[in-house]
Protein backbone atom coordinates (compact mmCIF):
# COMPACT_ATOMS: atom_id res chain seq x y z
CA UNK A 1 0.00 0.00 0.00
CA UNK A 2 2.73 2.41 1.00
CA UNK A 3 4.94 1.62 -1.96
CA UNK A 4 2.20 1.53 -4.57
CA UNK A 5 0.07 4.49 -3.70
CA UNK A 6 1.41 6.92 -1.21
CA UNK A 7 3.68 9.76 -2.25
CA UNK A 8 7.02 10.18 -0.54
CA UNK A 9 6.67 13.74 0.66
CA UNK A 10 9.50 16.20 0.04
CA UNK A 11 11.64 17.59 2.82
CA UNK A 12 11.62 21.10 4.30
CA UNK A 13 13.58 22.70 7.10
CA UNK A 14 11.81 23.90 10.25
CA UNK A 15 13.02 25.49 13.48
CA UNK A 16 13.18 23.05 16.35
CA UNK A 17 10.35 24.89 18.09
CA UNK A 18 8.04 23.77 15.25
CA UNK A 19 9.30 20.19 15.01
CA UNK A 20 7.01 18.32 17.43
CA UNK A 21 4.86 15.74 15.66
CA UNK A 22 6.77 16.05 12.39
CA UNK A 23 8.71 13.21 10.78
CA UNK A 24 12.46 13.56 10.47
CA UNK A 25 13.50 13.99 6.83
CA UNK A 26 17.17 12.98 7.12
CA UNK A 27 19.53 11.27 9.54
CA UNK A 28 20.91 13.54 12.26
CA UNK A 29 24.49 13.12 13.44
CA UNK A 30 25.61 14.48 16.76
CA UNK A 31 27.50 17.74 16.22
CA UNK A 32 28.98 17.50 19.70
CA UNK A 33 29.46 14.89 22.40
CA UNK A 34 27.15 14.78 25.39
CA UNK A 35 28.31 15.30 28.05
CA UNK A 36 30.85 17.56 26.39
CA UNK A 37 33.33 16.82 29.20
CA UNK A 38 33.53 14.27 32.00
CA UNK A 39 31.48 15.88 34.72
CA UNK A 40 29.99 15.46 38.18
CA UNK A 41 26.45 14.18 38.73
CA UNK A 42 26.32 15.58 42.28
CA UNK A 43 26.99 18.69 44.34
CA UNK A 44 29.96 18.04 46.64
CA UNK A 45 33.71 17.91 46.44
CA UNK A 46 35.91 16.22 43.83
CA UNK A 47 39.16 14.56 44.86
CA UNK A 48 41.61 11.78 43.97
CA UNK A 49 39.95 8.49 44.77
CA UNK A 50 43.05 7.19 46.54
CA UNK A 51 42.84 10.06 49.06
CA UNK A 52 39.27 9.20 50.01
CA UNK A 53 39.33 5.44 50.47
CA UNK A 54 39.52 5.26 54.25
CA UNK A 55 36.92 7.96 54.99
CA UNK A 56 34.24 7.03 57.55
CA UNK A 57 32.51 8.80 60.47
CA UNK A 58 35.01 7.10 62.82
CA UNK A 59 38.05 8.16 60.76
CA UNK A 60 37.20 11.29 58.74
CA UNK A 61 39.58 12.35 55.94
CA UNK A 62 40.64 16.02 55.73
CA UNK A 63 41.37 17.49 52.29
CA UNK A 64 42.55 21.00 51.40
CA UNK A 65 40.03 22.95 49.25
CA UNK A 66 41.96 24.57 46.36
CA UNK A 67 39.07 26.00 44.32
CA UNK A 68 35.79 25.11 42.66
CA UNK A 69 34.43 23.76 39.38
CA UNK A 70 31.04 25.04 38.29
CA UNK A 71 28.90 23.97 35.34
CA UNK A 72 30.27 26.03 32.47
CA UNK A 73 33.22 27.35 34.56
CA UNK A 74 35.77 24.54 35.00
CA UNK A 75 38.50 24.66 37.66
CA UNK A 76 41.53 26.01 35.76
CA UNK A 77 44.24 24.03 37.57
CA UNK A 78 45.08 20.49 38.61
CA UNK A 79 44.10 18.87 41.88
CA UNK A 80 47.07 17.35 43.69
CA UNK A 81 47.33 14.69 46.42
CA UNK A 82 45.53 15.72 49.64
CA UNK A 83 43.60 18.40 47.75
CA UNK A 84 40.02 18.78 46.52
CA UNK A 85 37.72 21.28 44.76
CA UNK A 86 34.09 22.11 45.42
CA UNK A 87 32.11 20.79 42.47
CA UNK A 88 28.51 21.09 41.30
CA UNK A 89 26.20 18.99 39.15
CA UNK A 90 27.24 19.24 35.50
CA UNK A 91 30.64 20.76 36.28
CA UNK A 92 33.73 19.29 34.55
CA UNK A 93 36.02 17.11 36.64
CA UNK A 94 39.46 18.78 36.88
CA UNK A 95 42.49 16.75 35.74
CA UNK A 96 43.69 14.27 38.34
CA UNK A 97 40.32 13.96 40.04
CA UNK A 98 38.14 10.85 39.80
CA UNK A 99 35.90 10.71 42.89
CA UNK A 100 32.93 12.77 44.03
CA UNK A 101 31.90 13.05 47.66
CA UNK A 102 28.40 14.56 48.00
CA UNK A 103 27.72 17.44 50.42
CA UNK A 104 25.58 15.12 52.54
CA UNK A 105 28.69 13.09 53.43
CA UNK A 106 31.12 15.86 54.31
CA UNK A 107 31.63 18.92 56.46
CA UNK A 108 32.85 22.01 54.63
CA UNK A 109 35.11 23.98 56.97
CA UNK A 110 36.08 26.60 54.38
CA UNK A 111 39.73 25.87 53.70
CA UNK A 112 39.25 22.16 54.38
CA UNK A 113 36.61 19.56 53.61
CA UNK A 114 36.12 16.71 56.07
CA UNK A 115 34.96 13.51 54.37
CA UNK A 116 32.78 11.24 56.50
CA UNK A 117 32.32 8.50 53.91
CA UNK A 118 34.11 6.94 51.00
CA UNK A 119 32.67 8.23 47.68
CA UNK A 120 30.59 5.81 45.69
CA UNK A 121 32.30 6.74 42.40
CA UNK A 122 32.37 6.14 39.47
CA UNK A 123 28.55 6.21 39.40
CA UNK A 124 28.52 9.87 40.32
CA UNK A 125 30.70 10.77 37.34
CA UNK A 126 29.17 11.25 33.88
CA UNK A 127 31.83 10.34 31.32
CA UNK A 128 32.37 12.56 28.27
CA UNK A 129 30.24 11.22 25.38
CA UNK A 130 28.41 8.81 27.70
CA UNK A 131 25.06 9.82 26.17
CA UNK A 132 26.32 10.24 22.58
CA UNK A 133 29.59 11.00 20.79
CA UNK A 134 30.18 13.69 18.16
CA UNK A 135 29.76 12.31 14.65
CA UNK A 136 27.52 9.37 15.54
CA UNK A 137 24.12 9.06 13.79
CA UNK A 138 21.62 9.40 16.62
CA UNK A 139 18.22 10.10 14.99
CA UNK A 140 17.30 8.47 11.69
CA UNK A 141 15.12 9.66 8.81
CA UNK A 142 11.48 8.62 9.21
CA UNK A 143 11.50 8.99 13.00
CA UNK A 144 8.44 10.64 14.50
CA UNK A 145 9.52 13.69 16.49
CA UNK A 146 8.11 13.14 19.97
CA UNK A 147 8.93 15.72 22.65
CA UNK A 148 11.96 13.76 23.97
CA UNK A 149 13.32 13.49 20.41
CA UNK A 150 12.90 17.24 19.89
CA UNK A 151 14.94 17.70 23.06
CA UNK A 152 17.51 15.21 21.76
CA UNK A 153 17.80 17.08 18.44
CA UNK A 154 18.57 20.25 20.40
CA UNK A 155 21.20 18.40 22.45
CA UNK A 156 22.77 17.15 19.20
CA UNK A 157 23.34 20.79 18.27
CA UNK A 158 20.57 21.55 15.74
CA UNK A 159 18.59 24.81 15.79
CA UNK A 160 16.61 23.70 12.73
CA UNK A 161 16.09 20.28 11.24
CA UNK A 162 14.89 18.68 8.01
CA UNK A 163 11.37 17.24 8.27
CA UNK A 164 9.05 15.64 5.77
CA UNK A 165 6.53 18.03 4.30
CA UNK A 166 3.09 17.71 5.90
CA UNK A 167 0.75 15.53 3.87
CA UNK A 168 -2.22 17.43 2.49
CA UNK A 169 -5.26 15.23 2.99
CA UNK A 170 -8.62 16.03 1.41
CA UNK A 171 -11.61 14.95 3.48
CA UNK A 172 -15.12 14.28 2.16
CA UNK A 173 -18.24 13.01 3.92
CA UNK A 174 -20.95 11.39 1.83
CA UNK A 175 -24.59 10.53 2.36
CA UNK A 176 -27.98 12.14 1.66
CA UNK A 177 -28.91 11.79 5.34
CA UNK A 178 -25.71 13.38 6.67
CA UNK A 179 -26.07 17.01 7.76
CA UNK A 180 -23.98 19.62 9.58
CA UNK A 181 -24.26 19.65 13.39
CA UNK A 182 -26.21 22.65 14.59
CA UNK A 183 -29.01 22.27 12.02
CA UNK A 184 -32.40 20.88 13.08
CA UNK A 185 -32.37 17.09 12.63
CA UNK A 186 -35.25 15.35 10.84
CA UNK A 187 -35.94 11.66 11.65
CA UNK A 188 -33.49 9.47 9.73
CA UNK A 189 -30.89 12.18 9.41
CA UNK A 190 -27.59 12.10 11.25
CA UNK A 191 -25.04 14.75 12.10
CA UNK A 192 -21.75 14.52 10.28
CA UNK A 193 -19.58 13.10 13.07
CA UNK A 194 -17.11 11.39 10.73
CA UNK A 195 -15.91 14.64 9.27
CA UNK A 196 -15.00 16.06 12.67
CA UNK A 197 -13.58 12.84 14.06
CA UNK A 198 -11.43 12.19 10.99
CA UNK A 199 -10.32 15.82 10.77
CA UNK A 200 -9.21 15.65 14.41
CA UNK A 201 -7.33 12.40 13.80
CA UNK A 202 -5.63 13.85 10.71
CA UNK A 203 -4.55 16.92 12.64
CA UNK A 204 -3.30 14.73 15.45
CA UNK A 205 -0.98 12.96 13.03
CA UNK A 206 0.34 16.18 11.55
CA UNK A 207 -1.57 16.39 8.25
CA UNK A 208 -2.95 19.53 6.62
CA UNK A 209 -6.66 18.99 6.00
CA UNK A 210 -8.37 20.16 2.82
CA UNK A 211 -12.03 20.17 3.90
CA UNK A 212 -14.26 19.18 0.99
CA UNK A 213 -17.38 19.13 3.14
CA UNK A 214 -20.12 16.80 2.15
CA UNK A 215 -21.53 15.22 -1.03
CA UNK A 216 -24.92 13.54 -1.53
CA UNK A 217 -25.29 9.92 -2.69
CA UNK A 218 -25.03 10.33 -6.46
CA UNK A 219 -22.16 9.34 -8.72
CA UNK A 220 -22.20 12.76 -10.41
CA UNK A 221 -22.06 14.70 -7.14
CA UNK A 222 -19.37 12.39 -5.78
CA UNK A 223 -17.31 12.78 -8.95
CA UNK A 224 -17.57 16.56 -8.74
CA UNK A 225 -16.58 16.61 -5.08
CA UNK A 226 -13.62 14.30 -5.66
CA UNK A 227 -12.44 16.55 -8.48
CA UNK A 228 -12.05 19.30 -5.87
CA UNK A 229 -9.32 17.26 -4.19
CA UNK A 230 -6.73 18.31 -6.79
CA UNK A 231 -3.54 19.40 -5.05
CA UNK A 232 -4.05 17.00 -2.15
CA UNK A 233 -1.69 14.07 -1.55
CA UNK A 234 -4.46 11.74 -0.39
CA UNK A 235 -8.27 11.76 -0.29
CA UNK A 236 -10.28 10.31 2.58
CA UNK A 237 -13.99 9.74 2.11
CA UNK A 238 -16.51 8.25 4.50
CA UNK A 239 -19.68 6.39 3.61
CA UNK A 240 -21.02 4.71 0.51
CA UNK A 241 -18.55 1.82 0.31
CA UNK A 242 -20.78 -1.13 1.19
CA UNK A 243 -23.46 -3.11 -0.65
CA UNK A 244 -26.44 -0.74 -0.79
CA UNK A 245 -28.05 0.73 -3.92
CA UNK A 246 -26.83 4.15 -2.87
CA UNK A 247 -23.27 3.09 -2.09
CA UNK A 248 -21.48 4.45 -5.18
CA UNK A 249 -17.84 4.77 -4.17
CA UNK A 250 -16.64 1.41 -5.45
CA UNK A 251 -18.41 1.61 -8.83
CA UNK A 252 -17.28 5.18 -9.32
CA UNK A 253 -13.64 4.33 -8.67
CA UNK A 254 -13.84 1.16 -10.75
CA UNK A 255 -15.18 3.14 -13.73
CA UNK A 256 -13.24 6.37 -13.44
CA UNK A 257 -10.21 5.49 -11.33
CA UNK A 258 -9.04 2.24 -9.85
CA UNK A 259 -9.66 0.03 -6.85
CA UNK A 260 -6.60 -1.47 -5.17
CA UNK A 261 -8.57 -3.30 -2.52
CA UNK A 262 -12.15 -3.37 -1.29
CA UNK A 263 -13.16 -5.20 1.88
CA UNK A 264 -10.76 -6.07 4.63
CA UNK A 265 -11.25 -9.10 6.88
CA UNK A 266 -11.76 -6.93 9.94
CA UNK A 267 -14.65 -5.71 12.10
CA UNK A 268 -15.47 -2.93 12.44
CA UNK A 269 -14.36 -1.57 9.10
CA UNK A 270 -15.11 -4.51 6.81
CA UNK A 271 -16.01 -2.57 3.64
CA UNK A 272 -12.91 -0.31 3.69
CA UNK A 273 -11.60 0.55 0.25
CA UNK A 274 -8.33 1.82 -1.17
CA UNK A 275 -8.30 3.15 -4.68
CA UNK A 276 -6.99 5.86 -6.95
CA UNK A 277 -8.40 8.79 -8.93
CA UNK A 278 -6.11 10.46 -11.47
CA UNK A 279 -3.08 9.48 -9.45
CA UNK A 280 -4.66 10.59 -6.16
CA UNK A 281 -4.79 7.78 -3.57
CA UNK A 282 -8.31 7.45 -2.12
CA UNK A 283 -9.18 5.77 1.17
CA UNK A 284 -12.90 4.99 1.16
CA UNK A 285 -13.81 4.57 4.81
CA UNK A 286 -17.12 3.00 5.84
CA UNK A 287 -19.87 5.39 6.90
CA UNK A 288 -20.54 3.81 10.28
CA UNK A 289 -18.93 6.23 12.75
CA UNK A 290 -16.97 3.63 14.72
CA UNK A 291 -15.87 1.84 11.56
CA UNK A 292 -14.42 4.98 9.97
CA UNK A 293 -12.39 5.88 13.05
CA UNK A 294 -11.17 2.32 13.65
CA UNK A 295 -10.06 1.97 10.01
CA UNK A 296 -8.24 5.26 10.40
CA UNK A 297 -6.50 3.97 13.51
CA UNK A 298 -5.57 0.55 12.14
CA UNK A 299 -4.88 1.28 8.45
CA UNK A 300 -4.86 4.95 7.47
CA UNK A 301 -2.68 6.48 10.16
CA UNK A 302 0.15 3.93 9.76
CA UNK A 303 -0.01 4.47 5.99
CA UNK A 304 0.13 8.27 6.26
CA UNK A 305 2.76 8.48 8.96
CA UNK A 306 4.85 5.38 8.31
CA UNK A 307 4.52 4.61 12.02
CA UNK A 308 3.25 1.16 12.99
CA UNK A 309 0.40 0.93 15.50
CA UNK A 310 1.92 0.16 18.89
CA UNK A 311 0.46 -2.86 20.67
CA UNK A 312 0.95 -4.46 24.04
CA UNK A 313 -0.23 -7.71 25.58
CA UNK A 314 -2.55 -7.66 28.57
CA UNK A 315 -4.56 -10.20 30.51
CA UNK A 316 -8.22 -10.28 29.61
CA UNK A 317 -10.52 -9.44 32.54
CA UNK A 318 -13.58 -10.56 30.54
CA UNK A 319 -13.96 -13.00 27.65
CA UNK A 320 -13.74 -11.62 24.10
CA UNK A 321 -15.50 -13.39 21.31
CA UNK A 322 -13.80 -14.10 18.01
CA UNK A 323 -15.19 -14.02 14.48
CA UNK A 324 -14.75 -16.99 12.12
CA UNK A 325 -13.54 -14.96 9.13
CA UNK A 326 -12.42 -11.58 10.46
CA UNK A 327 -9.97 -10.04 12.87
CA UNK A 328 -12.00 -8.24 15.53
CA UNK A 329 -11.02 -4.89 17.04
CA UNK A 330 -13.29 -4.76 20.07
CA UNK A 331 -13.59 -1.67 22.22
CA UNK A 332 -12.08 -2.29 25.64
CA UNK A 333 -11.27 -0.50 28.88
CA UNK A 334 -8.16 -0.93 30.99
CA UNK A 335 -8.94 -1.86 34.56
CA UNK A 336 -6.44 -2.96 37.21
CA UNK A 337 -3.78 -3.97 34.68
CA UNK A 338 -6.30 -6.02 32.67
CA UNK A 339 -8.42 -5.20 29.66
CA UNK A 340 -12.20 -5.59 29.85
CA UNK A 341 -14.82 -5.76 27.13
CA UNK A 342 -16.60 -2.40 26.93
CA UNK A 343 -19.76 -4.05 25.57
CA UNK A 344 -21.94 -2.18 23.04
CA UNK A 345 -19.75 -3.18 20.10
CA UNK A 346 -22.11 -2.03 17.32
CA UNK A 347 -20.39 -0.04 14.56
CA UNK A 348 -22.81 2.84 15.04
CA UNK A 349 -22.24 3.20 18.80
CA UNK A 350 -19.89 6.14 18.78
CA UNK A 351 -20.26 6.78 22.48
CA UNK A 352 -18.59 3.48 23.34
CA UNK A 353 -15.57 4.40 21.21
CA UNK A 354 -15.28 7.69 23.05
CA UNK A 355 -15.44 5.95 26.43
CA UNK A 356 -13.16 3.02 25.56
CA UNK A 357 -9.42 3.46 25.78
CA UNK A 358 -8.27 0.32 23.98
CA UNK A 359 -8.92 -1.80 20.92
CA UNK A 360 -8.61 -5.49 21.70
CA UNK A 361 -7.35 -7.46 18.71
CA UNK A 362 -8.90 -10.93 18.49
CA UNK A 363 -7.46 -12.87 15.55
CA UNK A 364 -9.66 -14.53 12.98
CA UNK A 365 -11.23 -17.70 14.35
CA UNK A 366 -9.92 -17.02 17.86
CA UNK A 367 -11.66 -16.29 21.12
CA UNK A 368 -10.16 -15.06 24.37
CA UNK A 369 -10.98 -16.47 27.80
CA UNK A 370 -10.65 -14.60 31.09
CA UNK A 371 -7.01 -14.60 32.23
CA UNK A 372 -5.56 -15.20 28.76
CA UNK A 373 -3.24 -12.65 27.22
CA UNK A 374 -4.56 -10.57 24.36
CA UNK A 375 -3.08 -7.99 21.98
CA UNK A 376 -4.21 -4.44 22.74
CA UNK A 377 -3.91 -1.14 20.87
CA UNK A 378 -4.22 1.89 23.13
CA UNK A 379 -6.62 4.59 21.96
N1 LIG B 1 -25.79 -6.33 3.04
C1 LIG B 1 -24.75 -5.78 3.64
N2 LIG B 1 -24.92 -4.62 4.27
C2 LIG B 1 -23.88 -4.03 4.89
C3 LIG B 1 -22.62 -4.65 4.87
C4 LIG B 1 -22.47 -5.87 4.18
O1 LIG B 1 -21.36 -6.45 4.12
N3 LIG B 1 -23.55 -6.38 3.57
N4 LIG B 1 -21.60 -4.06 5.55
C5 LIG B 1 -22.00 -3.30 6.70
C6 LIG B 1 -20.85 -2.68 7.29
S1 LIG B 1 -19.80 -3.73 8.07
C7 LIG B 1 -20.67 -1.33 7.29
S2 LIG B 1 -19.36 -0.69 8.16
C8 LIG B 1 -21.55 -0.42 6.62
C9 LIG B 1 -20.76 0.55 5.74
O2 LIG B 1 -21.61 1.38 5.10
P1 LIG B 1 -21.22 2.43 4.01
O3 LIG B 1 -19.77 2.70 3.99
O4 LIG B 1 -21.85 2.06 2.76
O5 LIG B 1 -21.85 3.77 4.61
P2 LIG B 1 -23.30 4.35 4.44
O6 LIG B 1 -24.22 3.32 3.94
O7 LIG B 1 -23.19 5.59 3.70
O8 LIG B 1 -23.64 4.69 5.94
C10 LIG B 1 -23.64 3.70 6.93
C11 LIG B 1 -24.10 4.31 8.26
O9 LIG B 1 -23.19 5.32 8.66
C12 LIG B 1 -23.86 6.57 8.83
N5 LIG B 1 -22.99 7.64 8.38
C13 LIG B 1 -22.50 7.79 7.14
N6 LIG B 1 -21.75 8.89 7.06
C14 LIG B 1 -21.74 9.44 8.28
C15 LIG B 1 -21.14 10.60 8.82
N7 LIG B 1 -20.37 11.40 8.07
N8 LIG B 1 -21.32 10.88 10.14
C16 LIG B 1 -22.10 10.06 10.89
N9 LIG B 1 -22.70 8.95 10.43
C17 LIG B 1 -22.54 8.65 9.14
C18 LIG B 1 -25.07 6.44 7.97
O10 LIG B 1 -26.09 7.33 8.32
C19 LIG B 1 -25.45 4.99 8.16
O11 LIG B 1 -26.12 4.81 9.37
O12 LIG B 1 -22.45 -1.11 5.77
C20 LIG B 1 -23.06 -2.26 6.40
N10 LIG B 1 -24.02 -2.83 5.52
O1 LIG C 1 -17.35 -3.70 9.52
MO1 LIG C 1 -18.73 -2.70 9.74
O2 LIG C 1 -17.49 -1.65 9.94
O3 LIG C 1 -19.04 -3.76 11.16
O4 LIG C 1 -19.63 -1.95 10.82
MG1 LIG D 1 -24.08 1.84 2.72
Amino acid sequence: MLAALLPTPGVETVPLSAARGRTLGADLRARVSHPSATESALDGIAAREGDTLGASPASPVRLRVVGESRAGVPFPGTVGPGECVRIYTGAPLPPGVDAICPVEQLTDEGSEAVLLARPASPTDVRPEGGDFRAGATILTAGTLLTPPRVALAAALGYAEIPVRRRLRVALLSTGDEVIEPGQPLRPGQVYDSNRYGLQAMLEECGCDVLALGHAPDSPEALGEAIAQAGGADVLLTSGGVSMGRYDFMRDLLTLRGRVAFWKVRMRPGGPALLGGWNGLPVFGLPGNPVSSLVVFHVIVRPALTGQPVGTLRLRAGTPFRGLPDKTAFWRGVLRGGEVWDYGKQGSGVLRSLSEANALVVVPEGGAVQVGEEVEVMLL
Side-chain angles (χ1 to χ4, degrees):
M1 190 168 73
L2 284 167
L5 281 150
L6 290 167
T8 308
V11 170
E12 62 186 3
T13 301
V14 295
L16 219 44
S17 54
R20 181 193 63 85
R22 305 294 297 268
T23 301
L24 197 57
D27 291 356
L28 293 189
R29 288 165 174 273
R31 290 179 166 162
V32 294
S33 295
H34 183 254
S36 55
T38 296
E39 58 192 33
S40 174
L42 294 175
D43 304 315
I45 64 106
R48 294 164 171 261
E49 194 183 12
D51 282 348
T52 66
L53 293 180
S56 73
S59 66
V61 168
R62 303 184 83 84
L63 297 173
R64 196 158 62 84
V65 180
V66 294
E68 68 172 11
S69 179
R70 293 180 58 183
V73 192
F75 177 65
T78 308
V79 179
E83 296 176 346
C84 69
V85 288
R86 293 191 188 91
I87 198 161
Y88 307 100
T89 305
L93 251 64
V97 147
D98 51 3
I100 308 292
C101 183
V103 287
E104 291 86 343
Q105 291 173 6
L106 59 87
T107 315
D108 191 332
E109 294 182 349
S111 59
E112 280 192 333
V114 185
L115 273 57
L116 303 171
R118 176 194 166 157
S121 58
T123 46
D124 300 332
V125 171
R126 307 169 177 165
E128 176 187 348
D131 191 355
F132 50 79
R133 294 204 160 276
T137 298
I138 302 298
L139 285 167
T140 51
T143 300
L144 179 68
L145 291 163
T146 57
R149 292 171 187 160
V150 174
L152 180 57
L156 298 176
Y158 292 82
E160 42 184 40
I161 53 173
V163 296
R164 292 195 181 147
R165 196 172 54 76
R166 286 184 192 279
L167 281 182
R168 195 166 160 75
V169 181
L171 183 59
L172 176 69
S173 298
T174 74
D176 290 345
E177 77 287 18
V178 172
I179 66 164
E180 266 300 288
Q183 309 294 311
L185 191 79
R186 291 204 313 273
Q189 291 186 320
V190 64
Y191 290 131
D192 189 352
S193 58
N194 292 350
R195 180 211 296 215
Y196 291 95
L198 292 170
Q199 165 142 5
M201 291 185 88
L202 285 166
E203 286 170 356
E204 216 175 52
C205 59
C207 298
D208 283 336
V209 178
L210 174 64
L212 298 183
H214 162 262
D217 291 316
S218 91
E220 298 73 27
L222 281 174
E224 275 172 35
I226 293 175
Q228 305 300 310
D233 297 306
V234 180
L235 168 65
L236 240 61
T237 66
S238 79
V241 290
S242 193
M243 310 293 288
R245 274 186 84 157
Y246 302 99
D247 293 336
F248 293 114
M249 281 299 294
R250 184 169 60 108
D251 285 351
L252 188 64
L253 287 173
T254 306
L255 289 172
R256 298 182 53 184
R258 72 183 183 110
V259 173
F261 66 72
W262 173 59
K263 287 196 169 178
V264 179
R265 294 213 307 265
M266 65 188 286
R267 184 182 297 164
L273 172 155
L274 177 66
W277 181 277
N278 288 333
L280 174 75
V282 181
F283 283 103
L285 306 185
N288 276 331
V290 174
S291 312
S292 65
L293 296 183
V294 169
V295 171
F296 188 96
H297 191 81
V298 175
I299 295 180
V300 180
R301 181 173 20 217
L304 297 183
T305 61
Q307 306 294 326
V309 188
T311 63
L312 54 140
R313 296 190 68 82
L314 288 176
R315 271 163 50 98
T318 59
F320 288 91
R321 75 187 175 100
L323 301 168
D325 53 355
K326 289 179 173 188
T327 301
F329 296 85
W330 302 131
R331 277 146 273 171
V333 276
L334 306 184
R335 203 172 279 167
E338 297 180 331
V339 62
W340 292 44
D341 189 344
Y342 182 84
K344 296 190 186 159
Q345 297 289 350
S347 297
V349 189
L350 190 51
R351 191 172 150 195
S352 65
L353 187 61
S354 84
E355 289 172 2
N357 50 18
L359 288 178
V360 176
V361 187
V362 183
E364 217 171 288
V368 179
Q369 311 304 325
V370 173
E372 280 179 3
E373 276 204 346
V374 67
E375 190 180 4
V376 173
M377 298 172 166
L378 296 182
L379 287 175

